[in-house]
Amino acid sequence: MRLFHSATPSSLAILSTVSAQKVIDLSTAQWTVSSPSLNISVPGRVPSQVHLDLYREGVIPDPYFGLGDFELRWVTYSNWTYEAEDSSSDLSTWLLFNGLDTFTSIEVCGQHVASTNNQFRQYYFDVSSILKSCSKAPTLSINFGSAINITADIAVQPGQETWPRGVEGLFEFPNRQFIRKEQSDFGWDWGPAFAPAGVWQPAYVVQLPTGGIHVRNSLLDIYRQGQLNNLPPDQNAPWIVNASLDLLGTVPSTATLDIEIMDMRNTSVASGSLQNITVSGNMITGSITVDGETCQLWWPTGLGSQNLYYFKISVMDGSKTLASTTKRSAFRTIVLNMTPISDSQLAQGIAPGNNWHFEINGKEFYAKGSNFIPPDAFWPRVTEEKMIQLFQSVVDGNQNMLRVWASGAYTPDFIYDIADEMGVLLWSEFEFGDALYPVNSEFLENVREEANYNVRRVNHHPSLALWAGGNELENLELPTAEGVDPGNPKWRDEYEQLFLDVLLPAVYGNTKSISYIPSSTTNGYLVLDFSLPIPMIQRYDNKTKGSIYGDTDHYDYNSAEAFDLTSYPVGRFANEFGYHSMPSLQTWQQAIVPEDLHFNSSTIVLRNHHYPAGGPFVDNYANSSKGMAEMTIAAERYYPVPYLSDSVANFSAWCHTTQIFQADFYRSQITYYRRGSGMRERQLGSLYWQLEDIWQAPTWAGIEYDGRWKVLHYVAKDIYQPVIIASYWNYTTGDLTAYVTSDLWTPATGTATLTWYSYNGTILAPSTNVPFNVGALNTTQVLATNTNTTGYNLNDAVLKMNITATGSLPNSQETKTFKHEFFFHALDLSKANLQDPGLTLSYDGQTGNFTVEATKAVAAWIWLDIPAGTLGNFDSNAFWLVPGEKIEIGHTVKNDTSGGKWVEGVTVRSLWNNTST
């Protein structure tokens, strides 16, 4: 291939160029990756990372197998060089990198071009003069320094900043706060510490004719006229479409901008010239007003349609098109409302304080979802296919929002594209977490460039819901620093320099359509005044007694307190909470040898990073064993645990039992938070920790690394339905209530049927039918009793609760029937009188459905299991049945290597199977 030659049509389409430009995708170059000190040189790729290239070429084994994260650290500690060569060009030539990870020295023709130190920035360099002086075939060389070694050197530089002990969340490699690199690359409590290096995002050579320009990045901001960040706009105001293009080359002073808006059928719905044109350096900006009736709104999944449009922005000089770019976007407003509780809200019984909820197109809604972490330690192998499968699981799981956790990497556009199409809101965050950071001018300027680039890059996506400054800063890192060093204002001042003085202007200065908070868990602002240089003044702990502010997180690893409702936080929104569990046997088999398939094998214990090593140690048995013990104790405390003679089957059953506890605990919290929509806290969001796995290990995930659903994801799917019933038990007093909760936008009416059963299936009393009417985004009580006075022994009694309700989904006039089922039982099922439920399983080849029936007794926690080699999920799983009850279950196959024979290997079990030997 030729490094400096004309581009293919596909390259032109991707990069939004015009015909006079030449754009070469560097993925087509012939690359080598080498380390002279290690005497290694192999073919490389772009985008890629060193570990992936070495693995593909057989130099190293699969990094994810066994203890690869420890055994392959020599790769991380080494420097590596990527190199390609070919012929030159006389055109103006730029190198354009969308992601270099992380410390690099770049050379062309042996001459130094630049050094970089930020994984998250877009870098671009004019190499025209170097190429003209190049006397031989030009070479492009990118040397990547070891991030671990370089940050260690930075940390000991004279005058370098230090922080109080405990402020840096130290997982494996230290000093991550000094580097603008994926923070979890240095280890986290759910993932490995590979700290990879490479050209991790697309890279290009851009050649321009004289006077030519190229769009390297762009901003599209669509908002209501008069809208300000963090404040609900007037939904009757017209739309403002603001476009701003970042260009390579020189922008003529006479340049203008044209726009054409097209629907998804490429039918033009509006066009014209942008007004208020400004040219600043290599940036050109303009805006236009669009009638609110012109286009249809975009809504999250479950709340309406995902109406999308193409926006073609062209840079014009008279009648000549200099460059153009097309973005797919939509008309919607999304606001994080943190305004003070109004008098009308107080009159409704809402507690004083501040709001903390999202509004889409002026409508409050309940945010149901989870936290998205990096789906792989090596981003270049995160494929569109895998992300479509993952986001389909999100939608199938009745989730409408993901919090894209800080301390990973900024989400690539193709993932936002998927979220746009599927209607999944992405609460996005800048990549800072569990640490405080330097505030020297060089660091802050580096962050400013990073933030501006990424805010502008993704702002057109309607799925973008929020920018947060980072993870666990206001609620954890600041209190830690101030607790060790009380009375010192330095820590708050430095925190505000980065998260208010740098990051807030990166949002507010580029967009009016997106809200900003400095920290993922926050009590919100005390003042929001746009006449101030920095409009936001944080509340911190300036709280009034009896008032409720902000969002919450919750982690309690004392499983004895797991179902204590009084231990759950009361807030306006729950942004993370959880407990860890083991992945399935099928997932473990992907990563470890058969000899290690037992619960406390050395490999399994060391792949468990909860609790973390606290340094680059490879013998973290002491801390990891604590996390293993927490899972074991929780399983033993609440369920019969398996003692099967087959060691692999026993291991599998133990893994599954930890998943049952995890799901049971999350369900208790989610129902509690959802009920809060109708309580004084007016709680309008539940995002559990975490959606998916980065690798095969014990974690908080509901979806395993290859996409297999844990018990948690099935239970979350069930409890995130629009209208649910759930029990709430104070096991100290015996008080038992049940509530119907709805997140519909109009009232729903129906009947709750409550029936007590013994575990042998005998109905203990006639069913009780309770009619109900539940308001919009509200809850209503349908049961109030006390288990001490019911006359039932809870070791042999279970309350089955069913509801059938009618109502309408948001933005729909169609009346729909909603059904839900919930079983109340004693917390400790190890003491329950579980009996063989006589489960039967059959498969209908015509319908493609499975049927499960309990023929003898109550079946608790029924589980249908798909064998290894097939990735799929059932429409329903992890449910209960009473005898004589059967359920027909559909399924979705996402990947199958069995030729369809997997259906013969599906098994069914219930919790009773743990009692057999």
Side-chain angles (χ1 to χ4, degrees):
M1 83 45 83
R2 291 176 173 267
L3 257 184
F4 303 100
H5 77 329
S6 60
T8 63
S10 61
S11 299
L12 295 176
I14 292 170
L15 286 169
S16 307
T17 62
V18 294
S19 58
Q21 302 176 25
K22 298 179 181 180
V23 181
I24 302 118
D25 186 336
L26 288 179
S27 67
T28 61
Q30 300 298 312
W31 291 91
T32 60
V33 57
S34 63
S35 174
S37 64
L38 297 173
N39 196 28
I40 295 174
S41 180
V42 297
R45 292 182 181 175
V46 168
S48 188
Q49 287 167 319
V50 174
H51 287 81
L52 300 181
D53 290 333
L54 296 181
Y55 174 43
R56 187 187 62 254
E57 297 302 320
V59 177
I60 63 173
D62 180 357
Y64 269 23
F65 196 82
L67 297 177
D69 59 326
F70 297 158
E71 295 164 352
L72 298 177
R73 283 189 173 169
W74 61 269
V75 179
T76 300
Y77 285 123
S78 302
N79 297 343
W80 298 90
T81 299
Y82 280 81
E83 191 171 63
E85 63 177 54
D86 216 301
S87 59
S88 62
S89 168
D90 293 330
L91 296 176
S92 172
T93 303
W94 295 76
L95 294 176
L96 180 63
F97 299 100
N98 286 344
L100 295 170
D101 185 9
T102 294
F103 292 110
T104 77
S105 177
I106 303 169
E107 293 183 354
V108 170
C109 298
Q111 298 185 49
H112 180 71
V113 174
S115 296
T116 72
N117 62 355
N118 192 321
Q119 178 184 356
F120 310 124
R121 284 176 60 178
Q122 183 189 59
Y123 287 102
Y124 46 98
F125 308 108
D126 186 346
V127 294
S128 306
S129 60
I130 293 178
L131 288 172
K132 288 177 182 178
S133 64
C134 193
S135 60
K136 56 183 179 179
T139 59
L140 170 60
S141 175
I142 310 171
N143 179 264
F144 289 87
S146 166
I148 303 304
N149 293 337
I150 293 174
T151 51
D153 292 340
I154 293 173
V156 296
Q157 289 175 346
Q160 185 58 268
E161 175 134 25
T162 60
W163 294 269
R165 180 178 176 83
V167 168
E168 176 192 0
L170 180 55
F171 299 92
E172 291 185 51
F173 295 121
N175 306 313
R176 60 182 170 82
Q177 65 270 34
F178 295 108
I179 184 175
R180 293 312 302 137
K181 175 177 174 57
E182 191 164 357
Q183 299 285 273
S184 58
D185 280 352
F186 280 44
W188 220 265
D189 52 5
W190 36 253
F194 287 106
V199 185
W200 75 290
Q201 288 286 327
Y204 306 92
V205 171
V206 180
Q207 297 175 327
L208 301 175
T210 301
I213 59 174
H214 171 78
V215 181
R216 64 169 180 85
N217 191 32
S218 59
L219 167 79
L220 187 67
D221 193 31
I222 303 171
Y223 55 93
R224 293 288 189 178
Q225 190 175 67
Q227 183 172 350
L228 295 172
N229 308 80
N230 289 79
L231 294 176
D234 179 0
Q235 295 297 323
N236 294 316
W239 294 101
I240 303 295
V241 177
N242 183 70
S244 182
L245 307 185
D246 301 311
L247 303 166
L248 300 179
T250 302
V251 185
S253 60
T254 55
T256 59
L257 291 173
D258 282 357
I259 188 171
E260 183 177 13
I261 304 173
M262 297 163 284
D263 63 22
M264 297 307 291
R265 299 182 301 276
N266 286 317
T267 301
S268 181
V269 296
S271 63
S273 296
L274 299 189
Q275 306 301 310
N276 307 311
I277 300 295
T278 60
V279 177
S280 177
N282 298 100
M283 179 194 303
I284 182 170
T285 302
S287 62
I288 192 172
T289 302
V290 176
D291 191 324
E293 301 299 319
T294 300
C295 301
Q296 295 179 302
L297 297 176
W298 182 95
W299 297 92
T301 180
L303 303 181
S305 300
Q306 291 76 59
N307 297 299
L308 295 165
Y309 295 86
Y310 292 116
F311 294 75
K312 182 179 180 181
I313 312 296
S314 299
V315 184
M316 308 297 295
D317 190 7
S319 60
K320 182 180 179 181
T321 301
L322 302 181
S324 65
T325 186
T326 299
K327 296 288 186 180
R328 193 183 65 181
S329 189
F331 294 87
R332 64 92 180 90
T333 64
I334 179 73
V335 175
L336 173 57
N337 186 341
M338 297 185 290
T339 59
I341 296 297
S342 66
D343 289 341
S344 62
Q345 288 178 300
L346 292 172
Q348 296 170 31
I350 298 175
N354 276 45
N355 287 285
W356 212 108
H357 64 262
F358 289 90
E359 296 178 6
I360 182 75
N361 299 321
K363 298 283 191 179
E364 293 180 344
F365 68 97
Y366 199 94
K368 301 180 292 188
S370 52
N371 283 253
F372 175 89
I373 66 165
D376 203 292
F378 305 104
W379 272 98
R381 66 180 182 185
V382 177
T383 64
E384 184 174 358
E385 178 186 13
K386 183 174 181 178
M387 289 301 95
I388 289 173
Q389 289 180 355
L390 180 64
F391 274 72
Q392 190 60 58
S393 292
V394 171
V395 173
D396 291 344
N398 294 315
Q399 301 188 23
N400 58 33
M401 178 179 283
L402 299 178
R403 174 181 166 233
V404 184
W405 172 80
S407 301
Y410 294 96
T411 306
D413 276 283
F414 80 88
I415 295 180
Y416 279 102
D417 285 336
I418 295 168
D420 294 343
E421 294 166 7
M422 295 191 179
V424 179
L425 289 165
L426 299 181
W427 160 340
S428 300
E429 302 189 343
F430 295 100
E431 304 307 332
F432 301 89
D434 287 4
L436 295 179
Y437 290 82
V439 292
N440 60 73
S441 59
E442 180 184 2
F443 186 90
L444 293 181
E445 183 57 33
N446 199 2
V447 170
R448 186 176 288 108
E449 291 289 337
E450 162 195 329
N452 277 302
Y453 166 63
N454 284 288
V455 167
R456 293 171 67 81
R457 176 179 64 87
V458 306
N459 194 73
H460 63 283
H461 293 286
S463 57
L464 177 65
L466 173 72
W467 277 111
N471 175 62
E472 295 181 330
L473 302 171
E474 181 183 314
N475 65 316
L476 179 60
E477 301 309 322
L478 268 181
T480 299
E482 293 172 343
V484 175
D485 187 16
N488 188 345
K490 171 184 177 180
W491 311 116
R492 185 173 295 186
D493 290 345
E494 291 192 350
Y495 168 77
E496 293 187 350
Q497 285 183 57
L498 176 54
F499 296 100
L500 287 178
D501 297 352
V502 172
L503 294 182
L504 182 146
V507 178
Y508 282 19
N510 282 298
T511 171
K512 297 182 184 301
S513 62
I514 296 298
S515 301
Y516 173 78
I517 54 175
S519 175
S520 60
T521 306
T522 174
N523 287 322
Y525 57 76
L526 189 65
V527 173
L528 186 65
D529 183 348
F530 285 86
S531 69
L532 299 175
I534 300 298
M536 185 178 290
I537 299 174
Q538 283 297 92
R539 178 177 299 280
Y540 299 115
D541 286 324
N542 294 306
K543 298 183 290 185
T544 301
K545 187 177 181 179
S547 295
I548 299 175
Y549 308 90
D551 56 338
T552 64
D553 62 12
H554 180 64
Y555 295 97
D556 186 347
Y557 298 109
N558 177 5
S559 56
E561 300 174 350
F563 301 98
D564 180 358
L565 303 182
T566 65
S567 70
Y568 301 161
V570 175
R572 306 291 190 189
F573 195 106
N575 72 29
E576 57 175 288
F577 52 92
Y579 204 97
H580 49 307
S581 72
M582 294 279 270
S584 65
L585 170 66
Q586 295 92 324
T587 289
W588 276 123
Q589 289 171 328
Q590 301 166 8
I592 62 178
V593 297
E595 294 76 22
D596 283 329
L597 292 173
H598 53 94
F599 201 84
N600 288 309
S601 71
S602 294
T603 303
I604 284 178
V605 170
L606 291 177
R607 286 180 73 98
N608 175 36
H609 291 190
H610 173 71
Y611 293 83
F617 313 119
V618 297
D619 56 351
N620 185 36
Y621 293 102
N623 289 345
S624 177
S625 294
K626 295 176 184 177
M628 302 297 291
E630 288 170 351
M631 291 186 288
T632 303
I633 292 168
E636 292 175 336
R637 175 168 275 136
Y638 294 107
Y639 313 100
V641 293
Y643 293 96
L644 307 180
S645 57
D646 183 300
S647 62
V648 174
N650 194 61
F651 171 68
S652 178
W654 264 100
C655 291
H656 183 68
T657 306
T658 69
Q659 291 190 21
I660 292 176
F661 169 75
Q662 179 193 38
D664 215 356
F665 187 20
Y666 282 49
R667 177 169 60 185
S668 175
Q669 289 194 68
I670 291 171
T671 57
Y672 177 82
Y673 299 136
R674 286 197 64 184
R675 185 184 65 163
S677 64
M679 299 297 180
R680 63 189 301 271
E681 60 263 34
R682 187 57 170 170
Q683 209 275 10
L684 290 178
S686 162
L687 308 178
Y688 63 79
W689 188 270
Q690 64 201 61
L691 173 66
E692 92 289 16
D693 265 327
I694 194 172
W695 72 331
Q696 308 94 334
T699 73
W700 294 252
I703 298 177
E704 296 171 6
Y705 174 66
D706 69 347
R708 183 179 291 266
W709 291 15
K710 282 184 176 180
V711 177
L712 168 58
H713 199 74
Y714 284 107
V715 167
K717 173 185 178 179
D718 172 74
I719 214 64
Y720 275 154
Q721 292 186 70
V723 186
I724 63 168
I725 185 171
S727 62
Y728 304 86
W729 187 39
N730 185 325
Y731 52 78
T732 301
T733 65
D735 289 336
L736 173 66
T737 59
Y739 283 78
V740 173
T741 300
S742 170
D743 58 32
L744 301 177
W745 289 351
T746 52
T749 60
T751 301
T753 301
L754 314 175
T755 310
W756 285 95
Y757 288 83
S758 69
Y759 277 99
N760 66 11
T762 302
I763 296 177
L764 298 177
S767 299
T768 302
N769 293 316
V770 182
F772 64 83
N773 186 311
V774 58
L777 280 174
N778 217 319
T779 192
T780 189
Q781 188 178 96
V782 293
L783 173 68
T785 188
N786 189 289
T787 54
N788 296 324
T789 60
T790 59
Y792 305 132
N793 179 354
L794 291 185
N795 288 331
D796 195 28
V798 60
L799 176 60
K800 179 185 178 186
M801 301 182 291
N802 294 82
I803 58 168
T804 300
T806 57
S808 297
L809 290 170
N811 285 309
S812 173
Q813 301 300 317
E814 179 183 354
T815 299
K816 182 178 174 66
T817 298
F818 301 91
K819 294 185 177 182
H820 188 246
E821 182 173 274
F822 194 99
F823 281 79
F824 164 75
H825 56 80
L827 294 181
D828 185 358
L829 289 175
S830 70
K831 297 176 182 176
N833 185 27
L834 295 177
Q835 301 179 33
D836 180 0
L839 289 178
T840 63
L841 174 67
S842 60
Y843 175 72
D844 187 325
Q846 291 187 323
T847 65
N849 292 339
F850 293 84
T851 298
V852 180
E853 182 177 5
T855 63
K856 297 180 181 179
V858 173
W861 290 104
I862 295 170
W863 182 251
L864 283 77
D865 206 14
I866 297 175
T870 300
L871 176 63
N873 56 269
F874 296 103
D875 293 347
S876 183
N877 212 345
F879 50 86
W880 292 51
L881 288 176
V882 297
E885 197 174 27
K886 65 174 63 176
I887 181 172
E888 186 174 336
I889 304 169
H891 64 272
T892 301
V893 175
K894 299 171 181 176
N895 186 35
D896 179 31
T897 61
S898 73
K901 294 184 178 180
W902 68 273
V903 297
E904 301 168 9
V906 173
T907 59
V908 66
R909 71 188 315 272
S910 73
L911 196 59
W912 178 82
N913 291 83
N914 277 10
T915 67
S916 63
T917 58

